[in-house]
């Protein structure tokens, strides 16, 4: 296997890359659903918090999808992948805070 996770002889894709691809596809699908139809959370706040409640959940899934796609394309988990995943977690925690206050 080379650094990209692809065997030069058989053209096989590594198991982590397949998992990242599956995660990327699922996260993208969830992000599309949340962006298009919403996440089912009724808007309970207005102003800045209302915008966060309306779009925070979808934004977190978009960031997760970007992280997984970056890992899939590069063949490994990189600093940009980690940054996107951590940003998704931070956004989700802020979204939950806005939702529960």
């Amino acid at each position: 296997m080379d650094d990209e996770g692809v065997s030069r002889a058989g053209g096989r894709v590594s198991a982590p890359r397949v998992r990242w691809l599956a995660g990327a596809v699922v996260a993208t699908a969830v992000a599309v659903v949340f962006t298009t139809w919403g996440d089912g959370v009724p808007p309970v706040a207005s102003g800045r918090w209302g915008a966060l409640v309306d779009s925070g959940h979808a934004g977190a899934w978009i960031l997760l999808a970007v992280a997984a796609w970056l890992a899939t394309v590069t063949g490994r988990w990189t600093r940009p992948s980690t940054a996107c995943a951590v940003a998704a977690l931070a956004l989700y925690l802020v979204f939950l805070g806005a939702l529960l206050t």
Side-chain angles (χ1 to χ4, degrees):
M1 292 248 178
D2 65 5
D3 289 340
E4 296 297 317
V6 177
S7 170
R8 294 187 192 278
R12 297 180 56 193
V13 179
S14 68
R17 193 173 232 177
V18 171
R19 287 191 298 269
W20 293 324
L21 177 60
V25 169
V26 169
T28 300
V30 172
V32 167
V33 168
F34 283 175
T35 302
T36 306
W37 294 287
D39 59 3
V41 175
V44 294
S46 61
R48 193 176 332 153
W49 291 114
L52 182 62
V53 169
D54 285 345
S55 60
H57 204 186
W61 279 99
I62 290 168
L63 287 168
L64 281 175
V66 169
W69 280 113
L70 285 171
T72 301
V73 169
T74 60
R76 61 190 183 95
W77 199 257
T78 60
R79 284 185 180 178
S81 301
T82 301
C84 286
V86 169
L89 174 62
L91 179 58
Y92 188 72
L93 291 175
V94 172
F95 161 76
L96 283 179
L99 185 64
L100 298 175
T101 58

